[in-house]
């Protein structure tokens, strides 16, 4: 069947159209994305602004038309931390549904971590053994670990790259004091619950996914996306730590010239790098394998599993 997956993240709105059926990898057929930067369209009270709501609604309406044109039988729409944490979340969702016809499901941070874990597990398979998964989004960091398709532990922290850039840097180049304070807070927040993942033992495979980790891996020498998803990509802690001081000294224009960095995300590179470094350091991981599948694929796989169960009962 052909599915449309509408992912409303803290940075980007992304419609992915896939051909999918049980027992096969989802095959991308079409992709449509737009920078929404909802994590930065928040007022002083933590509400999504009228401008942010309008941009989100327009994108959902256009995504619906594209999904229909591409022949989607079903569209799965979901939103993550920017909408989840907004004080006017219900108002945002109601406006989007009324004016675009799209009903968005707001995923909890734990559900986000669990679905991402499912996608990474399916990508690497059972040979990955005990698996640890890290995902830095625009608004939150998800961590999950376990030996099965569902993680034994999964949690979410408000440590997304866009959120950190907005809260600590205000869009300007950070000072040494600002970076030190961000680094201290990030590490304290991650370490607080680190035992959940560490207690069962060292993971056999540690993986990272989504745009921030992919960009950092590319900066640190990983293969470009044009070489395809099957090329192994790794982010090494030593290399990343060596890059961070250089990233802090770069202008937005210089950052945008780096491989794998979108001009609209240059201000997120340093906070994202600090969060990634903290994850690897605190969990004693010298390297992370980069997985091309993430939350969207997890949503698709969970839906296919659900369809297969219903068909089996029939």
């Amino acid at each position: 069947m052909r599915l449309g997956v509408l992912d409303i993240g803290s940075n980007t709105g992304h419609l992915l159209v896939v051909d999918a059926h049980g027992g096969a990898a989802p095959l991308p057929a079409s992709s449509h994305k737009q920078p929404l930067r909802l994590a930065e369209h928040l007022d002083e009270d933590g509400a999504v602004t009228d401008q942010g709501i309008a941009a989100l609604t327009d994108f959902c309406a256009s995504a619906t038309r594209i999904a229909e044109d591409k022949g989607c039988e079903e569209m799965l729409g979901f939103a993550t931390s920017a909408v989840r944490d907004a004080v006017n979340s219900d108002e945002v969702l109601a406006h989007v549904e009324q004016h675009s016809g799209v009903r968005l499901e707001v995923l909890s941070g734990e559900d986000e971590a669990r679905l991402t874990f499912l996608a990474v597990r399916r990508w690497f398979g059972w040979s990955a053994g005990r698996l640890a998964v890290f995902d830095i989004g625009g608004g939150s960091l998800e961590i999950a670990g376990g030996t099965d398709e569902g993680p034994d532990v999964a949690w979410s922290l408000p440590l997304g790259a866009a959120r950190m850039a907005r809260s600590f840097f205000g869009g300007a180049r950070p000072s040494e004091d600002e970076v030190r304070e961000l680094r201290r807070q990030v590490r304290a927040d991650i370490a607080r619950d680190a035992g959940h993942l560490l207690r069962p033992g060292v993971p056999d495979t540690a993986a990272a996914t989504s745009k921030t980790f992919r960009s950092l891996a590319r900066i640190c020498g990983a293969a470009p996306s044009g070489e395809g998803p099957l090329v192994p990509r790794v982010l090494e802690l030593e290399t990343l730590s060596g890059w961070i001081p250089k990233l802090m000294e770069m202008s937005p224009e210089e950052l945008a010239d780096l491989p794998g960095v979108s001009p609209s995300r240059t201000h997120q590179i340093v906070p994202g790098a600090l969060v990634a470094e903290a994850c690897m350091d605190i969990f004693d991981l010298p390297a992370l394998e980069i997985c091309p599948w993430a939350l969207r694929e997890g949503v698709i796989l969970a839906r296919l599993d659900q369809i297969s169960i219903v068909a089996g009962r029939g």
Side-chain angles (χ1 to χ4, degrees):
M1 67 184 300
R2 178 158 284 194
L3 288 173
V5 183
L6 183 59
D7 175 0
I8 304 302
S10 298
N11 282 310
T12 306
H14 190 172
L15 170 68
L16 180 65
V17 176
V18 298
D19 292 318
H21 64 270
L27 179 65
S30 178
S31 177
H32 170 61
K33 63 177 72 173
Q34 181 177 318
L36 297 175
R37 299 177 72 163
L38 293 178
E40 297 167 42
H41 280 295
L42 298 173
D43 62 22
E44 294 180 355
D45 297 322
V48 180
T49 63
D50 291 343
Q51 181 182 1
I53 295 174
L56 171 58
T57 303
D58 290 345
F59 176 75
C60 288
S62 67
T64 298
R65 291 191 294 270
I66 291 170
E68 291 173 352
D69 289 344
K70 297 299 182 182
C72 291
E73 298 179 45
E74 183 178 347
M75 187 158 77
L76 309 172
F78 63 90
T80 56
S81 64
V83 175
R84 178 172 70 232
D85 298 337
V87 298
N88 61 338
S89 177
D90 291 342
E91 176 188 336
V92 172
L93 295 171
H95 187 279
V96 169
E97 184 172 4
Q98 179 180 351
H99 295 280
S100 74
V102 174
R103 176 174 292 183
L104 294 172
E105 177 185 359
V106 178
L107 297 179
S108 69
E110 182 177 331
D111 284 343
E112 196 175 338
R114 289 182 177 278
L115 288 165
T116 301
F117 183 91
L118 171 64
V120 178
R121 168 59 78 189
R122 292 276 178 94
W123 179 267
F124 285 113
W126 296 113
S127 63
R130 180 175 294 281
L131 177 65
V133 175
F134 302 87
D135 178 358
I136 302 172
S140 59
L141 162 70
E142 275 69 49
I143 302 173
T147 56
D148 298 326
E149 289 205 330
D152 301 326
V153 295
W155 73 100
S156 178
L157 296 166
L159 299 177
R163 186 193 297 267
M164 294 292 96
R166 180 174 183 268
S167 299
F168 281 84
F169 302 157
R173 182 183 296 186
S175 67
E176 289 186 11
D177 288 343
E178 287 174 322
V179 171
R180 182 176 180 180
E181 173 59 20
L182 174 57
R183 189 177 186 275
R184 183 200 64 78
Q185 178 174 319
V186 164
R187 287 172 178 253
D189 289 348
I190 295 173
R192 186 174 299 118
D193 295 316
H196 295 333
L197 190 66
L198 294 172
R199 195 165 292 115
V202 177
D204 300 302
T205 302
T209 189
S210 294
K211 177 66 174 177
T212 296
F213 274 115
R214 291 200 305 270
S215 295
L216 293 171
R218 184 74 183 95
I219 290 170
C220 293
S225 59
E227 294 190 14
L230 299 182
V231 175
R233 294 173 175 87
V234 174
L235 176 63
E236 295 180 343
L237 175 58
E238 183 177 356
T239 306
L240 176 62
S241 296
W243 262 100
I244 288 177
K246 292 183 279 189
L247 296 174
M248 290 171 53
E249 295 298 322
M250 290 183 177
S251 67
E253 293 76 19
E254 290 171 327
L255 289 169
D257 285 338
L258 291 172
V261 178
S262 304
S264 63
R265 296 196 187 208
T266 56
H267 61 301
Q268 300 180 25
I269 289 298
V270 170
L274 291 170
V275 173
E277 182 189 41
C279 289
M280 299 171 77
D281 202 3
I282 287 170
F283 292 102
D284 196 22
L285 301 169
L288 292 170
E289 297 186 48
I290 304 300
C291 179
W293 280 5
L295 178 59
R296 281 185 295 276
E297 287 77 14
V299 170
I300 295 166
L301 293 167
R303 178 60 179 142
L304 290 175
D305 289 349
Q306 185 182 43
I307 292 171
S308 296
I309 291 172
V310 172
R313 289 173 179 170

